[in-house]
Amino acid sequence: MNIPTITSIVTSFNEASDIKTITFTYPGDVSPGQFFMVWIPGVDEIPMSVSFATKTMKGITFRNVGDATLALYQLKKGDKIGIRGPYGNGFSLKGKHLLFVGGGTGIAMLALAIEQARKKKLKATVIIGAKTKNQLFFEGRMRQCGATVLVSTDDGSTGYKGYASELAKHVLKEKHIDAIYTCGPEQMMKTLLLYCKTIPFQASLERYMKCALGLCGQCCIGKGLRVCLDGPVFDGTVLKKIKDFGVYHRDASGRKILF
Amino acid sequence: MTDLATTISALQLKNPTMLASGIMDEDVGSMQRMIDCGAGAIVTKSIGLHPREGYLNPTVIELEYGILNAMGLPNPGIDIYGKEIKALEKTKIPIIGSIFAANAKDFVTLAIKMQHFGANAVELNVSCPHAKHYGLEVGSDASLLREIISSIKHQIHIPVFVKISPNIMNLVEVAQNIKNAQADAIVAINTVKGMKIDLETGQPILANKTGGYSGKAIKPIGIRCVYDIAQNVDIPIIGVGGITTGEDAIEYFMAGASAVQIGSAIYYRGPEVFKHICKEIDLWLRKHNYKNLYELIGAAYL
Ligand SMILES: Cc1cc2nc3c(=O)[nH]c(=O)nc-3n(C[C@H](O)[C@H](O)[C@H](O)COP(=O)(O)OP(=O)(O)OC[C@H]3O[C@@H](n4cnc5c(N)ncnc54)[C@H](O)[C@@H]3O)c2cc1C
Ligand SMILES: Cc1cc2nc3c(=O)[nH]c(=O)nc-3n(C[C@H](O)[C@H](O)[C@H](O)COP(=O)(O)O)c2cc1C
Ligand code: FES
């Protein structure tokens, strides 16, 4: 069965301006990079990366951008939501020194992968990019797990002034990086793919999702690759052949929307 | 390998497994993947005149024995979707354009456009169980249905298939009505109207509350419909509903279907399901000394 399991909010925590983490009881294993379908009864059901995981508890970290995320934002301890999943493939970590580049809320979906890399004693350099200082989050959590953290903001209010991909370009010049993992605005990830040349690259994509079961086709990219099932993480070698990557996504009706 | 070729009206299929409407047919890429996975024909998702977002999520859930969906006919509208069909013009696999509308005039416009964009046949969705003013509401009105089919037949030269619902009491009468209006084939069945309630919240899970049930559980319902039509009405039938294995398809052929459509099984067995089912049909036919599919069609009532 793939139906939502009802669970209660255990904690709700403000990470930054308009960004919250909520945790709830939900047993089971997840691979870093996987996502849940989160049902807010009476509102909507939306995909959310798993940003926090223990054997019995899970969490998601999200920006309040619309009806469903606003409803999540307003939930209090004890309120009920439905969870199904985890879905998707997740990252495969390879190499000794890994570079993680998270733009916007992208760092939420990278967090578990970074912590896993550190548990395996791999060197992790993490770039967290945000529009401005008060939208930054997970900087402390990433430092705590032993990653080297660099920050970029578009307006220069803290850290490097400019896009996360530009900061990554500098890092790639200075350090020997074995593999790159990224999640964020698709054009940023596409630029990054250009910069990394032959270095192994994995990016996590977002597409409008309905079934998350690999059935309805709503989330397809390229030659019928289902972001919900064949992804959301794709290798650079695959992405180079996909015309949609960094160019367009589809809305709920299937119309193409340019990034 | 036995001969798995089949024909439905003017369409020649290299094998009888067609992709059912609304599954993995969002765009040219997904349909191409289903072709590469061995589908003998492709039915597009149901397309209307204008863009429609469909219902909010949850739109699809998987239950113990089947899949429940209420997508709400999301589609970008014929003019945009036409480009996806046009992009498939080089393929030799027949492309069948599924269309929905509330009246004959709009159906005719859609059918003409489908033909123009390169579809090899049209399939009229008059059976979607969960879209107000469309689907089953149209299919339940005998005179409207007759008017729609006849008007389309006068305006296009490609075959016209009519997809029907199991949620009608007078199945054979409706099938006869469809035949009398000169349709070229009947597609049976669309999903079965259903609902799932979450016990903890006491709420129906689908945002639309009711939906359509598909997958393994509905096979006996589909078999019965195909059998009843085949016995009573002389028209080619395409069997759909719960086909997951080659033996499921064989059962539909015995009931009277000339080809089958496969939807939910893509969830159970992946896109490779078309190849698997063809292989299983072939094995079964050989084991039972059949040389081709035609010998089998209607075996249950002949
Ligand atoms: C695999 C995956 C993982 C994600 N992980 C996170 C995360 O960890 N944190 C986070 O903040 N956001 C994440 N998102 C994005 C998140 O799903 C959207 O922000 C959310 O759906 C917005 O819903 P809304 O009703 O609040 O906004 P709306 O006003 O409905 O929409 C705002 C935008 O969100 C997108 N959206 C709406 N519904 C869906 C849907 N069903 N599927 C995909 N996109 C949708 C649309 O592109 C729309 O333009 C993820 C998306 C995907 C596909
Ligand atoms: C997610 C989903 C979407 C569907 N969309 C359509 C559609 O747009 N038009 C249509 O005629 N049938 C649609 N159907 C019904 C299928 O084409 C098919 O008739 C039904 O699922 C039974 O076959 P199955 O058991 O092989 O899935 C849809 C079914 C599912 C599961
Ligand atoms: S959301 Fe339905 S196939 Fe991915």
Side-chain angles (χ1 to χ4, degrees), chain A residues 104-131:
Chain A
T105 53
I107 190 66
M109 86 88 62
L110 290 171
L112 287 180
I114 296 164
E115 286 169 347
Q116 187 185 59
R118 290 300 304 139
K119 250 184 227 146
K120 290 183 172 171
K121 301 272 182 288
L122 306 177
K123 214 168 151 189
T125 297
V126 177
I127 296 174
I128 307 179
K131 282 209 172 77

PDB file of all heavy atoms in Angstrom, chain A residues 104-131:
ATOM      1  N   GLY A 104      19.448  28.025  -2.038  1.00  0.00           N
ATOM      2  CA  GLY A 104      18.092  28.211  -1.503  1.00  0.00           C
ATOM      3  C   GLY A 104      17.774  27.136  -0.475  1.00  0.00           C
ATOM      4  O   GLY A 104      18.564  26.890   0.436  1.00  0.00           O
ATOM      5  N   THR A 105      16.614  26.459  -0.665  1.00  0.00           N
ATOM      6  CA  THR A 105      16.287  25.386   0.281  1.00  0.00           C
ATOM      7  C   THR A 105      17.032  24.091  -0.060  1.00  0.00           C
ATOM      8  O   THR A 105      16.859  23.084   0.608  1.00  0.00           O
ATOM      9  CB  THR A 105      14.772  25.075   0.297  1.00  0.00           C
ATOM     10  OG1 THR A 105      14.359  24.840  -1.038  1.00  0.00           O
ATOM     11  CG2 THR A 105      13.968  26.200   0.903  1.00  0.00           C
ATOM     12  N   GLY A 106      17.865  24.106  -1.097  1.00  0.00           N
ATOM     13  CA  GLY A 106      18.593  22.908  -1.525  1.00  0.00           C
ATOM     14  C   GLY A 106      19.402  22.255  -0.420  1.00  0.00           C
ATOM     15  O   GLY A 106      19.539  21.026  -0.382  1.00  0.00           O
ATOM     16  N   ILE A 107      19.910  23.058   0.481  1.00  0.00           N
ATOM     17  CA  ILE A 107      20.741  22.505   1.567  1.00  0.00           C
ATOM     18  C   ILE A 107      19.924  21.550   2.454  1.00  0.00           C
ATOM     19  O   ILE A 107      20.471  20.613   3.053  1.00  0.00           O
ATOM     20  CB  ILE A 107      21.399  23.645   2.402  1.00  0.00           C
ATOM     21  CG1 ILE A 107      22.444  23.105   3.373  1.00  0.00           C
ATOM     22  CG2 ILE A 107      20.365  24.482   3.138  1.00  0.00           C
ATOM     23  CD1 ILE A 107      23.651  22.492   2.733  1.00  0.00           C
ATOM     24  N   ALA A 108      18.588  21.747   2.472  1.00  0.00           N
ATOM     25  CA  ALA A 108      17.727  20.874   3.279  1.00  0.00           C
ATOM     26  C   ALA A 108      17.822  19.436   2.779  1.00  0.00           C
ATOM     27  O   ALA A 108      17.883  18.491   3.569  1.00  0.00           O
ATOM     28  CB  ALA A 108      16.275  21.353   3.206  1.00  0.00           C
ATOM     29  N   MET A 109      17.831  19.272   1.455  1.00  0.00           N
ATOM     30  CA  MET A 109      17.879  17.898   0.917  1.00  0.00           C
ATOM     31  C   MET A 109      19.295  17.333   0.914  1.00  0.00           C
ATOM     32  O   MET A 109      19.476  16.120   0.862  1.00  0.00           O
ATOM     33  CB  MET A 109      17.175  17.818  -0.437  1.00  0.00           C
ATOM     34  CG  MET A 109      17.957  18.145  -1.664  1.00  0.00           C
ATOM     35  SD  MET A 109      18.788  16.707  -2.315  1.00  0.00           S
ATOM     36  CE  MET A 109      17.424  15.642  -2.704  1.00  0.00           C
ATOM     37  N   LEU A 110      20.332  18.200   1.010  1.00  0.00           N
ATOM     38  CA  LEU A 110      21.723  17.723   1.045  1.00  0.00           C
ATOM     39  C   LEU A 110      22.173  17.336   2.451  1.00  0.00           C
ATOM     40  O   LEU A 110      23.140  16.585   2.618  1.00  0.00           O
ATOM     41  CB  LEU A 110      22.669  18.806   0.513  1.00  0.00           C
ATOM     42  CG  LEU A 110      22.616  19.127  -0.990  1.00  0.00           C
ATOM     43  CD1 LEU A 110      23.447  20.376  -1.288  1.00  0.00           C
ATOM     44  CD2 LEU A 110      23.120  17.942  -1.811  1.00  0.00           C
ATOM     45  N   ALA A 111      21.488  17.874   3.471  1.00  0.00           N
ATOM     46  CA  ALA A 111      21.988  17.771   4.852  1.00  0.00           C
ATOM     47  C   ALA A 111      22.300  16.333   5.281  1.00  0.00           C
ATOM     48  O   ALA A 111      23.380  16.060   5.815  1.00  0.00           O
ATOM     49  CB  ALA A 111      20.984  18.409   5.817  1.00  0.00           C
ATOM     50  N   LEU A 112      21.372  15.412   5.027  1.00  0.00           N
ATOM     51  CA  LEU A 112      21.605  14.031   5.463  1.00  0.00           C
ATOM     52  C   LEU A 112      22.781  13.397   4.722  1.00  0.00           C
ATOM     53  O   LEU A 112      23.526  12.602   5.289  1.00  0.00           O
ATOM     54  CB  LEU A 112      20.348  13.176   5.255  1.00  0.00           C
ATOM     55  CG  LEU A 112      19.189  13.415   6.220  1.00  0.00           C
ATOM     56  CD1 LEU A 112      18.027  12.486   5.857  1.00  0.00           C
ATOM     57  CD2 LEU A 112      19.597  13.197   7.664  1.00  0.00           C
ATOM     58  N   ALA A 113      22.955  13.763   3.453  1.00  0.00           N
ATOM     59  CA  ALA A 113      24.070  13.215   2.667  1.00  0.00           C
ATOM     60  C   ALA A 113      25.398  13.715   3.239  1.00  0.00           C
ATOM     61  O   ALA A 113      26.371  12.958   3.333  1.00  0.00           O
ATOM     62  CB  ALA A 113      23.932  13.618   1.203  1.00  0.00           C
ATOM     63  N   ILE A 114      25.417  14.979   3.625  1.00  0.00           N
ATOM     64  CA  ILE A 114      26.651  15.556   4.184  1.00  0.00           C
ATOM     65  C   ILE A 114      26.987  14.871   5.510  1.00  0.00           C
ATOM     66  O   ILE A 114      28.139  14.478   5.758  1.00  0.00           O
ATOM     67  CB  ILE A 114      26.494  17.086   4.369  1.00  0.00           C
ATOM     68  CG1 ILE A 114      26.303  17.750   2.991  1.00  0.00           C
ATOM     69  CG2 ILE A 114      27.696  17.679   5.105  1.00  0.00           C
ATOM     70  CD1 ILE A 114      25.765  19.162   3.040  1.00  0.00           C
ATOM     71  N   GLU A 115      25.978  14.687   6.349  1.00  0.00           N
ATOM     72  CA  GLU A 115      26.213  14.012   7.629  1.00  0.00           C
ATOM     73  C   GLU A 115      26.652  12.558   7.418  1.00  0.00           C
ATOM     74  O   GLU A 115      27.506  12.047   8.138  1.00  0.00           O
ATOM     75  CB  GLU A 115      24.961  14.100   8.513  1.00  0.00           C
ATOM     76  CG  GLU A 115      24.800  15.521   9.069  1.00  0.00           C
ATOM     77  CD  GLU A 115      23.452  15.778   9.733  1.00  0.00           C
ATOM     78  OE1 GLU A 115      22.524  14.957   9.562  1.00  0.00           O
ATOM     79  OE2 GLU A 115      23.330  16.814  10.403  1.00  0.00           O
ATOM     80  N   GLN A 116      26.095  11.927   6.397  1.00  0.00           N
ATOM     81  CA  GLN A 116      26.506  10.552   6.105  1.00  0.00           C
ATOM     82  C   GLN A 116      27.972  10.512   5.640  1.00  0.00           C
ATOM     83  O   GLN A 116      28.745   9.649   6.060  1.00  0.00           O
ATOM     84  CB  GLN A 116      25.607   9.939   5.022  1.00  0.00           C
ATOM     85  CG  GLN A 116      25.876   8.455   4.808  1.00  0.00           C
ATOM     86  CD  GLN A 116      25.066   7.883   3.646  1.00  0.00           C
ATOM     87  OE1 GLN A 116      25.183   8.341   2.516  1.00  0.00           O
ATOM     88  NE2 GLN A 116      24.241   6.894   3.929  1.00  0.00           N
ATOM     89  N   ALA A 117      28.346  11.464   4.807  1.00  0.00           N
ATOM     90  CA  ALA A 117      29.734  11.538   4.326  1.00  0.00           C
ATOM     91  C   ALA A 117      30.689  11.690   5.515  1.00  0.00           C
ATOM     92  O   ALA A 117      31.730  11.032   5.585  1.00  0.00           O
ATOM     93  CB  ALA A 117      29.893  12.703   3.356  1.00  0.00           C
ATOM     94  N   ARG A 118      30.334  12.556   6.440  1.00  0.00           N
ATOM     95  CA  ARG A 118      31.188  12.783   7.611  1.00  0.00           C
ATOM     96  C   ARG A 118      31.252  11.531   8.490  1.00  0.00           C
ATOM     97  O   ARG A 118      32.305  11.207   9.029  1.00  0.00           O
ATOM     98  CB  ARG A 118      30.683  13.984   8.419  1.00  0.00           C
ATOM     99  CG  ARG A 118      30.879  15.314   7.747  1.00  0.00           C
ATOM    100  CD  ARG A 118      32.352  15.601   7.475  1.00  0.00           C
ATOM    101  NE  ARG A 118      33.126  15.534   8.714  1.00  0.00           N
ATOM    102  CZ  ARG A 118      34.329  14.991   8.841  1.00  0.00           C
ATOM    103  NH1 ARG A 118      34.938  14.456   7.790  1.00  0.00           N
ATOM    104  NH2 ARG A 118      34.932  14.975  10.012  1.00  0.00           N
ATOM    105  N   LYS A 119      30.139  10.812   8.623  1.00  0.00           N
ATOM    106  CA  LYS A 119      30.149   9.574   9.404  1.00  0.00           C
ATOM    107  C   LYS A 119      31.099   8.565   8.791  1.00  0.00           C
ATOM    108  O   LYS A 119      31.732   7.786   9.486  1.00  0.00           O
ATOM    109  CB  LYS A 119      28.726   8.977   9.450  1.00  0.00           C
ATOM    110  CG  LYS A 119      28.123   9.090  10.845  1.00  0.00           C
ATOM    111  CD  LYS A 119      26.759   8.426  10.915  1.00  0.00           C
ATOM    112  CE  LYS A 119      25.785   9.353  11.622  1.00  0.00           C
ATOM    113  NZ  LYS A 119      24.419   9.264  11.096  1.00  0.00           N
ATOM    114  N   LYS A 120      31.187   8.585   7.456  1.00  0.00           N
ATOM    115  CA  LYS A 120      32.114   7.685   6.754  1.00  0.00           C
ATOM    116  C   LYS A 120      33.532   8.253   6.747  1.00  0.00           C
ATOM    117  O   LYS A 120      34.386   7.759   5.998  1.00  0.00           O
ATOM    118  CB  LYS A 120      31.661   7.499   5.300  1.00  0.00           C
ATOM    119  CG  LYS A 120      30.399   6.693   5.108  1.00  0.00           C
ATOM    120  CD  LYS A 120      30.152   6.566   3.594  1.00  0.00           C
ATOM    121  CE  LYS A 120      29.032   5.624   3.260  1.00  0.00           C
ATOM    122  NZ  LYS A 120      28.709   5.708   1.819  1.00  0.00           N
ATOM    123  N   LYS A 121      33.754   9.359   7.495  1.00  0.00           N
ATOM    124  CA  LYS A 121      35.070  10.017   7.590  1.00  0.00           C
ATOM    125  C   LYS A 121      35.541  10.603   6.260  1.00  0.00           C
ATOM    126  O   LYS A 121      36.746  10.707   6.012  1.00  0.00           O
ATOM    127  CB  LYS A 121      36.131   9.022   8.116  1.00  0.00           C
ATOM    128  CG  LYS A 121      35.813   8.426   9.492  1.00  0.00           C
ATOM    129  CD  LYS A 121      36.373   9.337  10.594  1.00  0.00           C
ATOM    130  CE  LYS A 121      36.129   8.782  11.996  1.00  0.00           C
ATOM    131  NZ  LYS A 121      34.714   8.873  12.418  1.00  0.00           N
ATOM    132  N   LEU A 122      34.622  10.958   5.398  1.00  0.00           N
ATOM    133  CA  LEU A 122      35.009  11.620   4.144  1.00  0.00           C
ATOM    134  C   LEU A 122      35.119  13.117   4.402  1.00  0.00           C
ATOM    135  O   LEU A 122      34.459  13.654   5.292  1.00  0.00           O
ATOM    136  CB  LEU A 122      33.958  11.369   3.055  1.00  0.00           C
ATOM    137  CG  LEU A 122      33.612   9.901   2.787  1.00  0.00           C
ATOM    138  CD1 LEU A 122      32.508   9.787   1.745  1.00  0.00           C
ATOM    139  CD2 LEU A 122      34.861   9.134   2.330  1.00  0.00           C
ATOM    140  N   LYS A 123      35.973  13.767   3.621  1.00  0.00           N
ATOM    141  CA  LYS A 123      36.120  15.212   3.753  1.00  0.00           C
ATOM    142  C   LYS A 123      34.956  15.869   3.009  1.00  0.00           C
ATOM    143  O   LYS A 123      34.661  15.497   1.869  1.00  0.00           O
ATOM    144  CB  LYS A 123      37.445  15.621   3.123  1.00  0.00           C
ATOM    145  CG  LYS A 123      38.112  16.778   3.827  1.00  0.00           C
ATOM    146  CD  LYS A 123      39.533  16.946   3.357  1.00  0.00           C
ATOM    147  CE  LYS A 123      39.869  18.413   3.504  1.00  0.00           C
ATOM    148  NZ  LYS A 123      41.138  18.748   2.891  1.00  0.00           N
ATOM    149  N   ALA A 124      34.297  16.803   3.675  1.00  0.00           N
ATOM    150  CA  ALA A 124      33.152  17.458   3.031  1.00  0.00           C
ATOM    151  C   ALA A 124      33.315  18.970   3.051  1.00  0.00           C
ATOM    152  O   ALA A 124      33.475  19.563   4.118  1.00  0.00           O
ATOM    153  CB  ALA A 124      31.861  17.059   3.741  1.00  0.00           C
ATOM    154  N   THR A 125      33.309  19.562   1.856  1.00  0.00           N
ATOM    155  CA  THR A 125      33.247  21.020   1.781  1.00  0.00           C
ATOM    156  C   THR A 125      31.833  21.369   1.339  1.00  0.00           C
ATOM    157  O   THR A 125      31.314  20.788   0.374  1.00  0.00           O
ATOM    158  CB  THR A 125      34.282  21.565   0.777  1.00  0.00           C
ATOM    159  OG1 THR A 125      35.589  21.237   1.249  1.00  0.00           O
ATOM    160  CG2 THR A 125      34.160  23.068   0.624  1.00  0.00           C
ATOM    161  N   VAL A 126      31.217  22.286   2.076  1.00  0.00           N
ATOM    162  CA  VAL A 126      29.811  22.605   1.825  1.00  0.00           C
ATOM    163  C   VAL A 126      29.656  24.080   1.484  1.00  0.00           C
ATOM    164  O   VAL A 126      30.136  24.940   2.226  1.00  0.00           O
ATOM    165  CB  VAL A 126      28.955  22.286   3.073  1.00  0.00           C
ATOM    166  CG1 VAL A 126      27.501  22.680   2.839  1.00  0.00           C
ATOM    167  CG2 VAL A 126      29.053  20.807   3.421  1.00  0.00           C
ATOM    168  N   ILE A 127      29.014  24.356   0.373  1.00  0.00           N
ATOM    169  CA  ILE A 127      28.693  25.747   0.039  1.00  0.00           C
ATOM    170  C   ILE A 127      27.192  25.925   0.217  1.00  0.00           C
ATOM    171  O   ILE A 127      26.388  25.186  -0.366  1.00  0.00           O
ATOM    172  CB  ILE A 127      29.093  26.081  -1.411  1.00  0.00           C
ATOM    173  CG1 ILE A 127      30.614  25.980  -1.560  1.00  0.00           C
ATOM    174  CG2 ILE A 127      28.589  27.468  -1.799  1.00  0.00           C
ATOM    175  CD1 ILE A 127      31.098  26.154  -2.985  1.00  0.00           C
ATOM    176  N   ILE A 128      26.832  26.883   1.063  1.00  0.00           N
ATOM    177  CA  ILE A 128      25.416  27.191   1.243  1.00  0.00           C
ATOM    178  C   ILE A 128      25.158  28.556   0.620  1.00  0.00           C
ATOM    179  O   ILE A 128      25.786  29.547   1.007  1.00  0.00           O
ATOM    180  CB  ILE A 128      25.020  27.224   2.738  1.00  0.00           C
ATOM    181  CG1 ILE A 128      25.451  25.916   3.431  1.00  0.00           C
ATOM    182  CG2 ILE A 128      23.521  27.436   2.876  1.00  0.00           C
ATOM    183  CD1 ILE A 128      25.120  25.877   4.918  1.00  0.00           C
ATOM    184  N   GLY A 129      24.288  28.575  -0.366  1.00  0.00           N
ATOM    185  CA  GLY A 129      23.993  29.836  -1.035  1.00  0.00           C
ATOM    186  C   GLY A 129      22.594  30.307  -0.700  1.00  0.00           C
ATOM    187  O   GLY A 129      21.664  29.505  -0.628  1.00  0.00           O
ATOM    188  N   ALA A 130      22.451  31.606  -0.455  1.00  0.00           N
ATOM    189  CA  ALA A 130      21.129  32.170  -0.185  1.00  0.00           C
ATOM    190  C   ALA A 130      21.047  33.542  -0.843  1.00  0.00           C
ATOM    191  O   ALA A 130      22.064  34.114  -1.233  1.00  0.00           O
ATOM    192  CB  ALA A 130      20.905  32.294   1.321  1.00  0.00           C
ATOM    193  N   LYS A 131      19.818  34.053  -0.952  1.00  0.00           N
ATOM    194  CA  LYS A 131      19.657  35.390  -1.530  1.00  0.00           C
ATOM    195  C   LYS A 131      20.268  36.430  -0.608  1.00  0.00           C
ATOM    196  O   LYS A 131      20.965  37.330  -1.029  1.00  0.00           O
ATOM    197  CB  LYS A 131      18.166  35.696  -1.719  1.00  0.00           C
ATOM    198  CG  LYS A 131      17.560  35.025  -2.931  1.00  0.00           C
ATOM    199  CD  LYS A 131      16.399  35.862  -3.481  1.00  0.00           C
ATOM    200  CE  LYS A 131      15.908  35.307  -4.806  1.00  0.00           C
ATOM    201  NZ  LYS A 131      15.060  34.107  -4.670  1.00  0.00           N
TER     202      LYS A 131
END
